[in-house]
Structures are given as C-alpha cells and as structure tokens.
Amino acid sequence: MTAVSATRPGLTAVRDRLWTAVRAGDEYEACATVLHAVESGLDAETALLDVIAAVQLRVGTEWAANRLTVAQEHAATAIHERVVAALAHHPEHRGSAPSRSRITVACVDGEWHALPARLLAEVLRRRGWQVDFLGAQVPTPHLIAHLHQTGSRVVALSATLSPHLPTAHAAITACQAVGVPVVAGGAAFGADGRHARALGADAWAAHAREAAGVLDRGLARPDPLAVRQTVDDLPHLTDQEYTMVVGTRRELLKETLVGLEERFPPMRAYNDRQRQRTAEDIGHVLDHLAAALYVDDEDLFRDFIAWTADVLTARDVPGRSLDPALELIGRRLKDFPRATRILRAARETLATHLSAPRKPGDGQHV
C-alpha cells in the first residue's frame, strides 16, 4: 500500500494539491493530480468521494466566506466535473462493464448543482450498476418518460437547495406512480433525511457510499395503483399557508423592500447593484420560508437565516439587516399561524447568532 492510498496524511496532500490547482483555475494540473494519485494506488472511489467531493465542499465554504467569487466557484465546479470525466474515461481506471440492474440518477427540476449526483453515478458504475445519469434540472415529465423508455429499476434523486422540495415531492410521487422506487439524497432533504421521509421517498442516503448500500440491500417496487395525494404526506398543507405565500411572493417582496428602506436607513444610500442584491436576498428568504411551510419544519428556516447572516457578514453587510426584513414579512403574514411561528423562531435564532458573528468556514478546512 502506498503512502497516498489510505492514510489521512496522504489524502490530505492530494486534496491540498487539488485545491491549489482548482484555486488557480488549472484544469490540467487538477486532472494530473487525481490521475497520478490513482496511478499511485489511491482507490478511484476514494478519489471521487474523499478528494474531489471534499475539495468541492471547501469551494462552497470559501465562496460563502467571500474568499472566492461566484465566477471562481463556478470555474472550480467545472474543473471538478472534467476531472471526474477524465477519471471515468481513463482506459486503466474506468469501471468494468455493468453487471447489475439499471438505475437512473437525476437532479430535480430547477436544481443546477449536479456534481453530487455525478459523483454518485460514477460510484454506482464502478460497483457494477448500469447507470443513466441525466444531469441537472430534469423536468419530472421527462424523467418519467425516460423510465418508461428504459425500464430503469430505481431513481436516485438529488436536490441541494430546500426551495426545490415541493418539486422533489412531485418527482417522487410520479416515479412511484409508475412503480419505480426513489432514493433521495442531497442537502435539501435534511442532514438526517427528515424531509425525504416526509415526502414519502422509499429511502434516503446521506452520501454516495450509503446510497450504494441502500441499493445493495434492495428496494421494494411501489404499487402503481396506490394513488397518493400531496396532503396524504403533508396534511398541514390544507391550511393553504404555503400556497398563499408562494402565490403572493411578488407582492411580499415588493412590500418588504419598501418597508426595509424605512426600517434599515443604510439602504437609502444603496446603489442599483446593492438594491438588486438585497432584492435577491429577500427573495431567497421568501423561498426558504415557503419550503419550511411546505414541510412544516421551522429548523429549515432558522438554519437558513443563521447561514445567511454569516454570508452577509462576510460581505460586510450587517447580519442585523435580516431582522427588520423578517419583522416586515411577519406583519404581512400575521394571520398565518405556522408562518408566524416559523418567523418568530428565526428571529430568536438570529438574535442569538448575532451575539457571536462569524464568517462561514472560519477554522474549517478539508
């Protein structure tokens, strides 16, 4: 066994070299780093999950901490995708011919974060599965058409952002309606998979190795005649709070921006770009509030608000500017009990969080 193959110092050195290459935007050096590590004895699956995925996590953390621009983050992700492709197509390192059932790996409609799903697809291929990787933002009707055309036995569905949970729910029930079970994965489903269970997924996996284990154990085929409605999984939606917030999003956004200029005086001096960024931030707040209402989970929204406060702080925007925005939204939704509860909990969390502000990723590196 070589020094690079299993020991943490070896992995750390490979990750550091890959990070340096990615940070410099050097695609060729990034590919050479991973391929050399594999040629030196590093298992290809380890390279995918403990090197590439780990460095990609650092990319996201560095962006949140304002140490990488959006363009740099996108470039780093693109480089990682090409490194995965180089490893997948290398004649000496690609997996053997498939010997197991057909599996479809896809991101929900609207989800552009495709790298986690791509990594899963490569892991499954190397374990002998016949994999159809459909990539980012797959509309549910096209996903179902693909299942009819190919006879895929399982769908592995990926979602990173919580606002995509309603779309994920529709995809899960649609797949099950044609008799295909769904393994859900990705940050949107919660660190413990609570949202995957709430949406009726057949299984949830925290990471690619766990997903492979789920598939090894097998999943029962859903009964396509067992028709299930949204409210069967989420009976709280009968109160129409989610529907009303989504339906009035434009008005809520406009009213909050107008009120925020009065409640947060520094905003009066904002230029057009800063106002646009503020509108985008409030839009994200409303989208995550809607997601929290959909699955009735105030922790989803509280965690998002705390994270957003850190991201704003890293960009020299006071995290406290979130509180008047939350108050204004709360005033508009004062007749919505669940929204009121979720917003109150978020404001309490924000007050505690701001007592010790920090930048995302401080002291955290892979």
Side-chain angles (χ1 to χ4, degrees):
M1 184 177 294
T2 65
V4 77
S5 61
T7 63
R8 180 164 292 279
L11 282 176
T12 299
V14 177
R15 286 192 291 242
D16 286 346
R17 286 196 292 273
L18 179 59
W19 166 252
T20 299
V22 165
R23 183 70 177 81
D26 191 337
E27 172 187 344
Y28 300 102
E29 180 61 25
C31 288
T33 294
V34 173
L35 291 176
H36 175 71
V38 174
E39 289 164 0
S40 299
L42 184 67
D43 177 72
E45 183 173 301
T46 301
L48 289 166
L49 302 182
D50 300 319
V51 176
I52 297 172
V55 175
Q56 181 65 24
L57 179 63
R58 182 173 181 178
V59 168
T61 300
E62 294 295 290
W63 169 82
N66 202 30
R67 293 188 286 263
L68 286 182
T69 66
V70 171
Q72 289 173 318
E73 184 269 334
H74 285 188
T77 302
I79 289 173
H80 278 150
E81 289 172 345
R82 291 194 284 275
V83 174
V84 172
L87 184 59
H89 293 285
H90 194 290
E92 295 181 13
H93 307 306
R94 64 188 179 200
S96 57
S99 59
R100 307 174 77 174
S101 301
R102 192 167 198 157
I103 292 175
T104 294
V105 179
C107 297
V108 301
D109 194 5
E111 179 61 71
W112 285 101
H113 296 82
L115 185 59
R118 176 66 190 275
L119 291 169
L120 171 62
E122 292 306 319
V123 167
L124 295 180
R125 283 194 181 107
R126 290 179 176 277
R127 295 194 180 204
W129 298 95
Q130 183 179 354
V131 180
D132 296 332
F133 175 60
L134 305 189
Q137 110 145 0
V138 181
T140 298
H142 296 300
L143 174 59
I144 301 306
H146 176 80
L147 299 180
H148 283 303
Q149 292 165 2
T150 63
S152 187
R153 300 295 296 274
V154 180
V155 169
L157 193 66
S158 179
T160 299
L161 302 179
S162 298
H164 296 145
L165 286 172
T167 306
H169 194 192
I172 290 168
T173 55
C175 291
Q176 293 168 338
V178 296
V180 180
V182 176
V183 180
F189 294 105
D192 58 358
R194 69 180 65 180
H195 303 140
R197 292 188 290 274
L199 303 185
D202 298 278
W204 167 78
H207 48 75
R209 290 190 179 98
E210 187 173 320
V214 168
L215 293 170
D216 286 343
R217 292 188 293 273
L219 292 170
R221 180 181 173 89
D223 180 0
L225 299 179
V227 178
R228 195 169 85 246
Q229 302 296 326
T230 300
V231 294
D232 293 332
D233 293 328
L234 306 171
H236 54 267
L237 291 179
T238 57
D239 65 14
Q240 297 294 304
E241 290 198 28
Y242 164 76
T243 303
M244 291 296 292
V245 168
V246 171
T248 61
R249 181 187 186 279
R250 183 174 180 179
E251 291 79 4
L252 278 169
L253 176 58
K254 182 177 180 179
E255 291 178 14
T256 302
L257 288 172
V258 170
L260 191 57
E261 188 161 344
E262 178 180 345
R263 297 295 310 281
F264 185 65
M267 187 177 167
R268 298 169 189 167
Y270 279 8
N271 58 34
D272 289 343
R273 183 180 181 185
Q274 289 173 311
R275 289 178 181 276
Q276 179 61 35
R277 289 285 180 85
T278 301
E280 292 171 357
D281 290 341
I282 300 303
H284 293 320
V285 168
L286 292 172
D287 292 340
H288 282 79
L289 174 60
L293 287 168
Y294 192 83
V295 294
D296 196 29
D297 184 357
E298 66 182 41
D299 287 344
L300 184 161
F301 191 63
R302 293 197 302 183
D303 291 346
F304 169 73
I305 290 299
W307 177 84
T308 300
D310 288 341
V311 169
L312 291 176
T313 299
R315 287 153 177 76
D316 298 321
V317 177
R320 61 184 175 82
S321 63
L322 284 169
D323 188 67
L326 295 176
E327 181 186 8
L328 289 163
I329 295 169
R331 287 184 182 181
R332 181 68 169 76
L333 301 177
K334 66 181 186 303
D335 296 326
F336 294 63
R338 288 198 299 122
T340 298
R341 169 176 56 82
I342 291 170
L343 286 162
R344 182 186 302 117
R347 293 185 68 192
E348 291 171 355
T349 294
L350 180 63
T352 301
H353 196 73
L354 292 177
S355 65
R358 61 183 180 84
K359 289 186 177 182
D362 279 355
Q364 301 174 14
H365 296 292
V366 298

